[in-house]
Amino acid sequence: MFSKLFATAVFITLAAAIPNTTPPVTTPTSDQCCNSVVPSSSAAASAVAALLGLDLTGLNVPVGLSCSPITVGGNNCGSTSVVCDAPDKEWGGLIAINCIPITA
C-alpha cells in the first residue's frame, strides 16, 4: 500500500513540475500505428497530454494515443494506421498530434 501511495505522490509531483506547453500543429509526416485516435478535447487525450506537460486547450485536431512508428517493412498495424505529427523523442509514443487516417 505504501509503495502505491509513494509512486502516486512521485508521479503527481513530476506531472506538476512539468510546465504546460501547447504543442505546435504542423503538417503530419510520420506514419503511426495508434491504439486509438480521439478528439483533442477528449478526457483521454487531456489526461495523457497533462502527463507530458502538454496543453491541448483550443486545439481541434485528432490525437493518437499509444502510437508506434510504422516501419518501411510494411504496415502490420492491428490498430489504427494514421499519419501524424509524432516526435517520439519528445512524447515517447504516448501521444501524437494531428492524426489523419492512412488510406490505401
Side-chain angles (χ1 to χ4, degrees), residues 2 20 27 45-46 48 54 56-57 70 74-75 82 86 91 94-95 101:
F2 176 74
N20 283 343
T27 303
S46 295
V48 173
L54 300 174
L56 302 180
T57 305
I70 296 174
N75 181 355
V82 290
W91 302 332
L94 294 174
I95 194 167

Side-chain angles (χ1 to χ4, degrees), residues 9-87:
V10 168
F11 184 68
I12 290 170
T13 302
L14 289 175
I18 300 171
N20 283 343
T21 58
T22 301
V25 177
T26 60
T27 303
T29 58
S30 178
D31 292 348
Q32 298 283 316
C33 179
C34 300
N35 283 348
S36 62
V37 176
V38 298
S40 55
S41 59
S42 74
S46 295
V48 173
L51 295 174
L52 297 170
L54 300 174
D55 181 6
L56 302 180
T57 305
L59 294 183
N60 187 21
V61 295
V63 173
L65 301 177
S66 297
C67 301
S68 59
I70 296 174
T71 62
V72 177
N75 181 355
N76 294 323
C77 180
S79 297
T80 305
S81 299
V82 290
V83 60
C84 305
D85 184 15

